Amino acid sequence: MSHKRIPKRKAVLAVGGVAALGAAALLLPNANASQDGTADTEAAPRILKASDASDLAAQLSGLLGDAFAGSYYDAGRQQLVVNVVGDNNQLVVQAKKAGAAVREVDNSTAELKAAAQTLKSEGTIPGTAWAVDPRSNKILVTADSTVTGGDWDTVESTVRELGPGMATLRKSTGTFKTFASGGDAIFGGGARCSLGFNVTAGDGTPAFLTAGHCGVAAAQWSDTQGGAPIGTVDQAVFPGQGDFALVKYDDPATEAPSEVNAEGQRVPILQAAEATVGQQVFRMGSTTGLADGAVTGLDATVNYPEGTVTGLIQTNVCAEPGDSGGAMFTQDGLALGLTSGGSGDCTVGGETFFQPVTTALEAVGATLDGAGGSAGAGGTEEGAGGAEEGAGGAEEGAEGEQQGPEDQQQGAGNGQQGAEDGQQGAGDQAGGADEGAGADEQDAGEEAGTDESGLTQTH
């Protein structure tokens, strides 16, 4: 673990050794969040970054009410796709004018939640997991290799009981487990985990987030095997409604920067954010280093051998023992999750589940002080505000107000300006060589296979 102690200990986020996967050739490009500025009477979907799509999805969830049946980010088209139930054409028009691609589906959010509750009451078996998949408008139920015989029959019959078109059952070749291990990184009680994100505790002292199953395994953690403790667990949740722990640094003078050390490349973390299905993400862990993939499900329930954990993010990002607690983040500095567990490894792949950072922060009363400062955070908020303005304009248009497509375009433009301001905040923070995150460096990065943040695609 890389800690600088001149003159104070500097805690570096989510460290790891040599990456098991190695560097890859192709980087994740920044999504273009702009449009051509022309009024579109057909209300074509806006081109969005994943973070802006998440903001728009939140706005449309409130706008559409019971008709909202989930959403996901189409990374190829850089669009937010919103599921709508019912035959209320006015709601469809509103969603389209707000900038989303709209898809009419059969299963409502309430029906999917009811199905998940049935699975919880009748199919809670160690080695099973389920999450809502908005792309299929179904619940994806996964059973690992330990679910056999009568247990498999129970899961299969429960899924069948939900009715046709409500759930999909698949078998995983791996075994669901938490990813704590003995080895190197942060150590406690003979276990090895990974540091997630540095935060500020409610009392103003420096702290970091990691996995809850790490927090319940040991009360104190060190940055070297057999070394003196650097932090003491303040709060930990596992199993139950999450898998997260807050560890306070023992030295109140510890410098805890809001950044991820992604194999030598420092990625400034601007703020915590909600994940979106389809969003491209990176994970950093002490065993496998940097890996990437996409979010595949939200509000996932996982039945580990130690107990059931709810409210997780499901992904296809690989992980292995020792990666527990490590950071899941985006290339533009959004903190999304803490590695919880899953199946498989970084050779054969598998499913990996993450604790949402936003939920963990709220539960422990901590804050993530963005490295981008007020410029980055303000720009992101302005982008969200612009998306809200676009959604609001759509609602007024559907009610007969004389706002028209031009006002919707203006709302989208404000959102785009906010996103650009947020990106500028990240660029200002990086400074030095990273300051050249403009057109020249972007062109050079594309030729060399690296982006402004230095991250490379490994999946």
Side-chain angles (χ1 to χ4, degrees), residues 120 130 239-243 299-302 308-313 355-356:
K120 179 180 179 181
W130 52 81
Q241 295 181 334
D243 185 3
D299 197 20
T301 295
V302 186
T308 300
V309 180
T310 60
L312 302 182
I313 303 166
Q355 165 66 47

Side-chain angles (χ1 to χ4, degrees), residues 131-166:
V132 174
D133 177 14
R135 291 167 299 186
S136 65
N137 188 227
K138 298 179 182 179
I139 295 179
L140 175 61
V141 183
T142 306
D144 73 13
S145 60
T146 67
V147 182
T148 59
D151 286 344
W152 171 261
D153 293 340
T154 298
V155 175
E156 194 172 37
S157 64
T158 302
V159 169
R160 190 182 306 114
E161 181 184 313
L162 298 177
M166 186 60 67

Side-chain angles (χ1 to χ4, degrees), residues 21-432:
L21 300 178
L26 187 63
L27 60 99
L28 280 173
N30 278 318
N32 178 9
S34 65
Q35 280 190 305
D36 60 9
T38 60
D40 187 350
T41 57
E42 297 300 321
R46 289 168 54 197
I47 296 176
L48 299 167
K49 293 170 58 179
S51 56
D52 295 328
S54 178
D55 292 333
L56 180 57
Q59 298 297 331
L60 288 175
S61 175
L63 180 68
L64 299 177
D66 293 341
F68 181 80
S71 63
Y72 63 94
Y73 182 64
D74 185 332
R77 292 183 171 86
Q78 299 174 14
Q79 296 172 354
L80 175 70
V81 181
V82 173
N83 293 334
V84 176
V85 294
D87 56 0
N88 190 328
N89 187 63
Q90 185 182 57
L91 293 179
V92 172
V93 170
Q94 290 179 16
K96 287 182 177 180
K97 286 190 174 182
V102 177
R103 189 177 66 151
E104 297 184 46
V105 296
D106 295 326
N107 299 322
S108 69
T109 297
E111 289 171 330
L112 292 171
K113 285 184 176 180
Q117 186 60 40
T118 299
L119 287 166
K120 179 180 179 181
S121 60
E122 299 181 19
T124 297
I125 296 171
T128 60
W130 52 81
V132 174
D133 177 14
R135 291 167 299 186
S136 65
N137 188 227
K138 298 179 182 179
I139 295 179
L140 175 61
V141 183
T142 306
D144 73 13
S145 60
T146 67
V147 182
T148 59
D151 286 344
W152 171 261
D153 293 340
T154 298
V155 175
E156 194 172 37
S157 64
T158 302
V159 169
R160 190 182 306 114
E161 181 184 313
L162 298 177
M166 186 60 67
T168 301
L169 176 62
R170 61 184 295 269
K171 189 79 169 177
S172 172
T173 57
T175 301
F176 290 144
K177 57 186 180 295
T178 55
F179 288 135
S181 178
D184 94 58
I186 58 170
F187 303 84
R192 171 169 62 91
C193 288
S194 299
L195 190 153
F197 298 98
N198 280 324
V199 298
T200 300
D203 60 3
T205 60
F208 64 83
L209 294 176
T210 189
H213 64 268
C214 299
V216 300
Q220 292 186 305
W221 290 83
S222 171
D223 58 352
T224 58
Q225 190 168 21
I230 63 167
T232 301
V233 175
D234 180 72
Q235 302 175 56
V237 173
F238 178 84
Q241 295 181 334
D243 185 3
F244 56 88
L246 177 72
V247 182
K248 290 185 177 180
Y249 287 106
D250 294 335
D251 180 0
T254 297
E255 294 183 1
S258 187
E259 61 185 31
V260 171
N261 178 9
E263 298 176 352
Q265 298 293 329
R266 303 302 174 96
V267 181
I269 298 299
L270 304 180
Q271 65 179 48
E274 301 289 343
T276 302
V277 171
Q279 187 173 16
Q280 298 298 304
V281 295
F282 289 95
R283 175 201 53 74
M284 187 65 195
S286 64
T287 299
T288 58
L290 187 66
D292 69 277
V295 175
T296 59
L298 300 176
D299 197 20
T301 295
V302 186
N303 297 299
Y304 293 122
E306 299 91 339
T308 300
V309 180
T310 60
L312 302 182
I313 303 166
Q314 184 169 345
T315 77
N316 60 13
V317 184
C318 73
E320 296 182 6
D323 289 331
S324 282
M328 181 175 76
F329 58 100
T330 65
Q331 66 163 354
D332 52 354
L334 299 181
L336 299 181
L338 307 165
T339 307
S340 173
S343 69
D345 54 36
C346 287
T347 299
V348 300
E351 303 84 15
T352 301
F353 300 92
F354 294 82
Q355 165 66 47
V357 170
T358 52
T359 305
L361 289 171
E362 182 178 3
V364 302
T367 56
L368 194 156
D369 302 321
S374 59
T380 305
E381 290 171 1
E382 186 177 341
E388 182 175 4
E389 183 176 338
E395 185 173 14
E396 292 175 3
E399 293 172 353
E401 297 294 330
Q402 300 300 313
Q403 299 298 323
E406 293 80 0
D407 286 349
Q408 299 311 308
Q409 185 64 36
Q410 182 63 43
N414 290 343
Q416 161 63 11
Q417 184 61 51
E420 291 175 354
D421 290 345
Q423 184 66 27
Q424 183 61 47
D428 292 344
Q429 170 64 23

